Amino acid sequence: MNSLFLALIGVGMIAAGFAFYSKFLASRVFKLSDEYVTPAHTMEDGVDFVPTNKYVLWGHHFTSVAGAAPIIGPAVAIIWGWLPAFLWVTLGTVFFAGMHDFGALWASLRHRGQSIGTLSGRYIGTRGRNLFLVVIFLLLLMVNAAFATVISRLLVSTPTAVIPTWGAILVALCVGQAIYRFKWSLPVVSVVGVVALYSLMLLGERFPISLPETVWGIPANAVWILALFIYAFCASLLPVWVLLQPRDYINGLQLFIGLIILYASILITHPEVVAPAVNHNVPDGTPGMFPLLFVTVACGAISGFHGIVSSGTSSKQLDKETDARFVGYFGAVGEGLLALGTIIATSAGFKTLANWEEVYSEWSAGGVGAFISGGGSIINEGLGLPVSLAATVLATMAILFAATTMDSSVRLQRLVIEEIAQLLGFRVTGLVATIITVVLALLLTFSSGADGSGGMLLWPVFGTTNQLMAALSLSVMAVILIRLRRPSLPIVIPLVFVTVVSLGSAFILLGTLWQARNWLLLGIDAAIITATIWVIVEALVAIGRARNAPALVFDDQPSDPAPVA
């Protein structure tokens, strides 16, 4: 199989999904209207609710949802062969991820920017909402701790990525001022920002920065973790336009250019795919492909975390409702293209099958390292970039994806804590909520020692929790559409599929944890399964009620953007 053929088919399928299926969703299912005044205008506060250019907001949304997961997941899952991962990424992007992200954004938009967890209380019930918020809280905690650990390890292993990683923050601050304070032309700001970021990569390649093994007795990766949480703390509290939004936008452009570089290299060299289409010779200890493929390749096909971002930050910044198609669906397209590029890099970036099998000698041996190695080789041959520079570009890409997801996740957890406090009848300031968020993440990260390995403690249950979260979000959207008397099958079919495979994976993991005597993760996994089943049952009851309830009507007047029955 030639990798060019694989790339053309995959990109063509995903592009067709945006051109046709997203248009169907926009006109027939969600019925977007420019007459509707969005919460960014009716509730504008200059901090969280800020009307934003759709291209800038797309950059925020794309980089917030992407993270390292669309690299890690496909790079691990390819151990079962490239074909299953390819099919799930392409079909998942078109019919699952795009619809899920778009739908969660629209649902929140029509309810004063409320999170999908809060909406569950309105459409499913109080008990369902409470359990829903518990799952969201745990998922965000996992993301905050795990991504800090992943980024710190990459900064230690790839010192050439240190300068561009931290320099991107300064670039973002300048971009925010240029767009909002000085009113510069967006194309000019974009070009200058991207040039600055790639210049930082060249600078990082020339001047790599490595910390000593210990700094005042603290391991190097722990120093980076502390620095990351200090940054995330500040980013969570600053107005979204000052740092978070411009950082995500300019990173989104840089990362998309990185994808263009990778795909251009594939176009030029079109290396042969050496990995098997379906691997019948998997290493000992590799679990069965079904249903684990569908939780291993989460981001890039469908991800519950995306619904939290869509309804947590993106919905509060949408200038016009019709922008939701570009921001939500096309944001998922960007992630699908990254996942597809990862599949090609890790299946065609090695010289021979023996080289590939050497890397994939055991279950979960793939990951960011395999992506950087395989993708760097393709870029080196295609564009002639030195291997070290190509590795720096891809490593920085992976770090910036993870970092923009982490800082958005900290902000999201701050908002969730504020919502939970409000539901309990008292008010928590943004500062206090952020302190709680960061302290909890740091406690988890360093729970296993000063090396920060505790950040990965809950990672084994991340995949199932993430997909179960997607099922819960889809259940809320299904109730809304049924109440509106609109087509619901585009939501219901993915809801049933994701629920079955994610619950199946969760039960398999439960058995694995029982055999390993890992009582902590066993208890957490059991609690998440129980909460999810409870919410799904409540959702099924709500769906039954919705069919007989009075039709829901959305009021498009700016004075009251909330729905009325």
Side-chain angles (χ1 to χ4, degrees):
M1 168 66 72
N2 190 287
S3 60
L4 179 59
F5 185 60
L6 202 62
L8 291 175
I9 293 177
V11 173
M13 290 173 64
I14 293 173
F18 177 71
F20 302 107
Y21 190 58
S22 73
K23 189 174 292 186
F24 163 77
L25 293 174
S27 61
R28 297 288 303 280
V29 178
F30 303 130
K31 296 186 178 181
L32 305 185
S33 170
D34 276 338
E35 298 300 315
Y36 177 71
V37 183
T38 66
H41 291 280
T42 61
M43 303 174 67
E44 184 174 0
D45 61 6
V47 178
D48 294 314
F49 291 86
V50 178
T52 304
N53 178 285
K54 71 175 182 179
Y55 298 105
V56 175
L57 184 54
W58 169 83
H60 159 73
H61 183 80
F62 167 49
T63 54
S64 293
V65 301
I71 296 174
I72 296 172
V76 170
I78 202 171
I79 199 166
W80 290 304
W82 61 261
L83 182 59
F86 173 81
L87 290 174
W88 177 226
V89 163
T90 51
L91 295 175
T93 296
V94 173
F95 297 108
F96 288 71
M99 174 276 302
H100 170 270
D101 296 13
F102 186 3
L105 180 59
W106 164 80
S108 174
L109 189 72
R110 283 286 176 162
H111 295 81
R112 301 181 185 275
Q114 292 178 328
S115 74
I116 199 73
T118 301
L119 292 184
S120 66
R122 180 186 183 105
Y123 289 100
I124 294 179
T126 303
R127 288 190 302 270
R129 178 201 62 203
N130 295 341
L131 294 169
F132 205 118
L133 288 173
V134 168
V135 176
I136 291 175
F137 186 88
L138 287 173
L139 182 60
L140 291 173
L141 182 61
M142 291 179 203
V143 170
N144 293 337
F147 276 41
T149 300
V150 169
I151 296 167
S152 68
R153 291 175 179 176
L154 285 170
L155 289 172
V156 170
S157 64
T158 316
T160 55
V162 171
I163 287 179
T165 296
W166 294 103
I169 297 173
L170 179 60
V171 173
L173 289 169
C174 295
V175 167
Q177 295 298 314
I179 292 175
Y180 288 100
R181 191 176 297 277
F182 300 113
K183 309 297 183 183
W184 284 17
S185 164
L186 185 60
V188 172
V189 175
S190 302
V191 171
V192 173
V194 168
V195 169
L197 280 181
Y198 276 95
S199 298
L200 287 171
M201 288 186 200
L202 294 174
L203 193 63
E205 174 70 13
R206 186 178 180 115
F207 300 104
I209 295 178
S210 298
L211 294 180
E213 286 191 18
T214 60
V215 179
W216 297 319
I218 303 175
N221 59 315
V223 174
W224 288 130
I225 289 171
L226 292 172
L228 285 164
F229 275 111
I230 291 172
Y231 156 73
F233 179 89
C234 298
S236 172
L237 293 173
L238 286 172
V240 69
W241 65 269
V242 172
L243 177 57
L244 189 68
Q245 188 192 88
R247 171 177 163 84
D248 289 350
Y249 169 66
I250 205 67
N251 280 344
L253 289 180
Q254 181 268 138
L255 297 169
F256 219 73
I257 291 172
L259 283 177
I260 292 173
I261 290 172
L262 178 59
Y263 278 100
S265 300
I266 294 169
L267 179 64
I268 294 170
T269 61
H270 45 83
E272 286 296 316
V273 174
V274 299
V278 178
N279 190 9
H280 299 289
N281 188 32
V282 295
D284 293 338
T286 302
M289 179 172 64
F290 187 87
L292 293 181
L293 169 72
F294 302 99
V295 299
T296 303
V297 183
C299 301
I302 185 171
S303 165
F305 179 72
H306 294 196
I308 304 174
V309 174
S310 293
S311 65
T313 60
S314 299
S315 64
K316 296 174 175 62
Q317 302 170 59
L318 212 65
D319 182 37
K320 298 187 296 184
E321 187 177 45
T322 49
D323 292 346
R325 174 178 171 244
F326 183 80
V327 174
Y329 197 99
F330 196 66
V333 165
E335 186 161 31
L337 292 174
L338 175 59
L340 176 62
T342 299
I343 292 170
I344 296 174
T346 52
S347 63
F350 300 92
K351 296 296 183 183
T352 65
L353 175 60
N355 295 144
W356 183 84
E357 289 178 335
E358 184 179 351
V359 173
Y360 286 86
S361 58
E362 58 180 314
W363 163 242
S364 74
V368 176
F371 168 72
I372 293 173
S373 174
S377 174
I378 293 173
I379 292 174
N380 169 251
E381 292 184 14
L383 300 180
L385 291 183
V387 174
S388 60
L389 179 57
T392 297
V393 171
L394 294 179
T396 303
M397 216 168 116
I399 291 171
L400 291 180
F401 265 124
T404 49
T405 296
M406 178 190 164
D407 56 24
S408 292
S409 180
V410 169
R411 191 181 192 95
L412 286 165
Q413 191 150 35
R414 184 258 287 177
L415 295 170
V416 168
I417 289 174
E418 290 178 16
E419 281 190 7
I420 292 173
Q422 187 177 13
L423 292 172
L424 293 175
F426 58 92
R427 183 177 180 273
V428 171
T429 65
L431 176 62
V432 172
T434 303
I435 290 173
I436 294 172
T437 296
V438 170
V439 168
L440 288 175
L442 284 172
L443 287 174
L444 176 59
T445 304
F446 293 110
S447 61
S448 297
D451 62 351
S453 58
M456 304 304 292
L457 188 65
L458 300 182
W459 192 252
V461 300
F462 170 78
T464 54
T465 305
N466 189 39
Q467 298 305 72
L468 289 170
M469 181 66 227
L472 298 181
S473 298
L474 290 171
S475 67
V476 175
M477 287 182 253
V479 176
I480 294 174
L481 288 174
I482 291 171
R483 287 286 309 276
L484 286 168
R485 306 294 188 263
R486 294 183 187 174
S488 60
L489 283 181
I491 307 289
V492 172
I493 293 174
L495 166 61
V496 172
F497 181 82
V498 173
T499 301
V500 169
V501 297
S502 54
L503 276 178
S505 298
F507 279 112
I508 290 173
L509 178 61
L510 204 64
T512 303
L513 295 172
W514 176 271
Q515 292 177 350
R517 302 276 195 268
N518 192 330
W519 307 123
L520 173 62
L521 290 185
L522 179 73
I524 293 173
D525 192 39
I528 290 171
I529 290 173
T530 302
T532 302
I533 292 176
W534 194 330
V535 176
I536 291 297
V537 170
E538 297 253 4
L540 290 174
V541 173
I543 287 173
R545 289 197 305 263
R547 295 185 182 281
N548 300 315
L552 189 69
V553 178
F554 279 138
D555 185 352
D556 283 349
Q557 298 306 310
S559 59
D560 182 14
V564 293

